[in-house]
Amino acid sequence: MRSSTGGHAAGDPFDAGAGSILRQPRAVWATAGASVVAFMGIGLVDPILPSIAKGLNATASQVSLLFTSYFLITAVAMLVTGFVSSRIGGRKTLLLGLAFVVVFAGLAGTSGSVAQLVGFRAGWGLGNALFVSTALAVIVGAAAGGSAAAILLYESALGLGMACGPLLGALLGNASWRYPFFGTAFLMAVGFLCITAFLKEQPRPARRTSLLDPIKALGHGGLASVAVSAFFYNYTFFTVLAFTPFVLNMTPYKSGAVFFAWGVLLALFSVVVAPRMQERFGSLKVLGGSLVLLAADVVVLGFGDHTTAVVCTILSGAFIGVNNTVYTELALGVSDAPRPVASAGYNFVRWFAAAAAPFLAPKIAEWTDMHVPFVVAGATAALGALVVAVRRRALTLEAEELQPRHATEDSVTVFAN
């Protein structure tokens, strides 16, 4: 159950066994470790975006398509992941996704043009979608300590990956922009071997997931509200991630250091700070407040001097970490759809913003100036907070009514995605 403020109450299945996050089976650690590398792929190109643009004689808007193609395919693939995993099983879906990433990340390092690189990143996005969405289901199903421990472990993997991705990109990219892609392919191959060795085949759901189930799940008002709010938030998130490196215009090492610090804050606030804030203030208050602070932060980032931009970039990681954790819990618990199906529908909507922001931000800068993309990003974060405020009562009541049902559904439905 959730409290009337949308936070956790006694007996909430999200709270059960939260202290057991470190006592997990080897299969969970293998999946979480591979997830770290998968999330590293998102921020890997951050510190080397200017180097890629220079090496391939491309503009900022052309290079930003590396994110757009990646997340556009990821969004569409969310409709496919449940369909695939409910038929071939979670383990085979994870391995299929990892294989795609290994192949396309390696090919990305051989690219001779921006068009080739963008195309290979699209294939990489398909593999990442198959892996990441299924990894969450596998971790939730196999983790000791209940849903709380599983979600925190998953968010830990996300935060660590987002922190280490730019660092790896900087270390390898300082020699050549191609090396980070080869490095990712190698690490994902190691992840493939770990999953093969330690993860047994998972139980399949009683009912197979159709391609339309995630879309149907969005007919639920609470889930649709979370997805719309997350759509606006993700536009802000990926404006910071994909456009800020061009504004900072730093060497790969310096840019990597900035985004490593950003990722460390993201990890700490998602795993350590967010749960404590939710317990004290309630999930919806925490989410709304964090979105407003993020909106203010990105506007200051856009109009400040270089030092201010660096500080605000790093600070945004704290707000992003809080938001990621709260959105994940709301998406998994607010509707009457099985959690994997609800997650697929939610991700289908929000990843479109992740595809749009990297393309639109540099275009807006070309049409206007370097400040306006951050004004737009601030406005979208504020819109995300507005959706939470307007739908607050519905989100609270629906989550409160449905949490007990989900507690009994987990063992049956969690592998559908």
Side-chain angles (χ1 to χ4, degrees):
M1 294 281 289
R2 289 183 183 272
S3 69
S4 60
T5 60
H8 300 307
D12 187 338
F14 277 123
D15 288 334
S20 303
I21 185 172
L22 297 179
R23 297 190 296 273
Q24 303 296 340
R26 286 186 299 175
V28 172
W29 286 117
T31 306
S35 297
V36 171
V37 182
F39 287 119
M40 285 170 63
I42 296 177
L44 178 82
V45 298
D46 260 21
I48 58 172
L49 285 175
S51 299
I52 294 173
K54 183 179 180 180
L56 296 177
N57 297 316
T59 65
S61 59
Q62 288 175 322
V63 172
S64 70
L65 292 175
L66 294 176
F67 285 99
T68 298
S69 64
Y70 181 90
F71 288 115
L72 185 61
I73 296 299
T74 297
V76 175
M78 286 299 163
L79 301 180
V80 179
T81 55
F83 178 88
V84 173
S85 64
S86 65
R87 284 160 174 78
I88 68 173
R91 181 176 181 271
K92 291 180 181 177
T93 304
L94 288 177
L95 293 175
L96 180 63
L98 286 169
F100 269 102
V101 174
V102 170
V103 170
F104 285 103
L107 289 173
T110 68
S111 300
S113 68
V114 171
Q116 286 183 349
L117 188 53
V118 168
F120 292 142
R121 279 282 284 183
W124 186 344
L126 173 60
N128 215 53
L130 288 169
F131 175 81
V132 170
S133 61
T134 309
L136 175 58
V138 169
I139 289 173
V140 169
S147 296
I151 289 175
L152 288 180
L153 187 61
Y154 184 78
E155 292 296 335
S156 298
L158 187 155
L160 185 60
M162 296 293 276
C164 293
L167 193 61
L168 178 67
L171 292 174
L172 298 179
N174 194 60
S176 170
W177 65 263
R178 300 179 187 274
Y179 291 169
F181 297 108
F182 295 137
T184 299
F186 172 77
L187 290 174
M188 288 305 259
V190 172
F192 185 98
L193 295 176
C194 290
I195 296 295
T196 301
F198 298 121
L199 181 65
K200 297 180 180 179
E201 188 54 77
Q202 305 297 308
R204 299 183 189 181
R207 185 180 71 86
R208 291 182 174 181
T209 301
S210 77
L211 293 175
L212 293 180
D213 281 351
I215 300 295
K216 293 177 181 177
L218 290 170
H220 185 277
L223 182 61
S225 299
V226 175
V228 170
S229 178
F231 174 89
F232 290 124
Y233 155 67
N234 263 35
Y235 185 94
T236 307
F237 178 178
F238 286 94
T239 296
V240 173
L241 190 63
F243 183 63
T244 302
F246 292 104
V247 175
L248 298 180
N249 194 27
M250 303 167 77
T251 65
Y253 277 142
K254 291 181 179 179
S255 182
V258 168
F259 279 96
F260 175 72
W262 168 86
V264 168
L265 279 187
L266 188 154
L268 288 175
F269 274 74
S270 64
V271 177
V272 178
V273 178
R276 287 168 171 75
M277 293 179 66
Q278 287 175 273
E279 189 67 34
R280 181 171 181 179
F281 302 108
S283 295
L284 300 184
K285 285 184 179 179
V286 170
L287 181 60
S290 181
L291 286 168
V292 170
L293 291 173
L294 178 62
D297 180 77
V298 296
V299 171
V300 174
L301 191 164
F303 284 90
D305 58 20
H306 187 267
T307 301
T308 302
V310 169
V311 171
C312 288
T313 298
I314 295 172
L315 183 60
S316 69
F319 307 126
I320 289 170
V322 170
N323 294 338
N324 285 349
T325 293
V326 180
Y327 273 122
T328 299
E329 290 195 6
L330 285 176
L332 293 180
V334 76
S335 77
D336 55 355
R339 282 179 174 164
V341 175
S343 176
Y346 158 77
N347 282 303
F348 172 71
V349 173
R350 74 183 183 110
W351 286 126
F352 275 110
F359 175 74
L360 291 177
K363 285 292 185 183
I364 292 171
E366 291 174 10
W367 298 331
T368 55
D369 60 45
M370 296 293 280
H371 304 304
V372 177
F374 294 101
V375 174
V376 174
T380 55
L383 284 172
L386 180 62
V387 172
V388 172
V390 170
R391 294 290 295 166
R392 180 182 182 83
R393 179 174 174 78
L395 288 170
T396 301
L397 292 178
E398 288 162 357
E400 189 173 272
E401 291 168 0
L402 293 169
Q403 287 295 330
R405 174 183 171 181
H406 282 299
T408 62
E409 279 185 337
D410 279 347
S411 62
V412 178
T413 63
V414 75
F415 297 100
N417 196 27

